[in-house]
Amino acid sequence: EQPESNSLFQEFDAWLRADGSQRNPGTTADLVTACIFVVLRERLVNEPKLADVLRVGETHRESLLSN
């Protein structure tokens, strides 16, 4: 993360919430979805391996059961 991107995000968020939050929240969801699509399509992040996801899920389940 870069400070500039965080600042831009905060500015964008304030703009969406201005005027009584009348801006279309569906548009925000569309933008987020489009960004995730680009990141995955351009392979800017690595997809997690299924075994890693299952292992984390199992660890989480075990911690919930132990409490």
Side-chain angles (χ1 to χ4, degrees):
E1 285 186 35
Q2 296 180 5
E4 182 182 356
S5 64
N6 191 33
S7 174
L8 290 172
F9 173 77
Q10 295 296 331
E11 191 176 313
F12 178 60
D13 185 59
W15 178 80
L16 287 173
R17 294 172 188 266
D19 299 327
S21 295
Q22 293 182 6
R23 293 185 173 86
N24 183 354
T27 302
T28 304
D30 292 342
L31 288 170
V32 170
T33 302
C35 290
I36 292 170
F37 173 78
V38 168
V39 166
L40 292 173
R41 185 170 191 278
E42 298 298 318
R43 299 189 190 283
L44 298 174
V45 296
N46 295 323
E47 296 175 33
K49 294 182 174 113
L50 181 57
D52 293 338
V53 172
L54 294 175
R55 185 178 66 248
V56 169
E58 183 64 23
T59 302
H60 180 68
R61 186 179 74 78
E62 289 171 0
S63 69
L64 290 175
L65 293 175
S66 68
N67 291 329

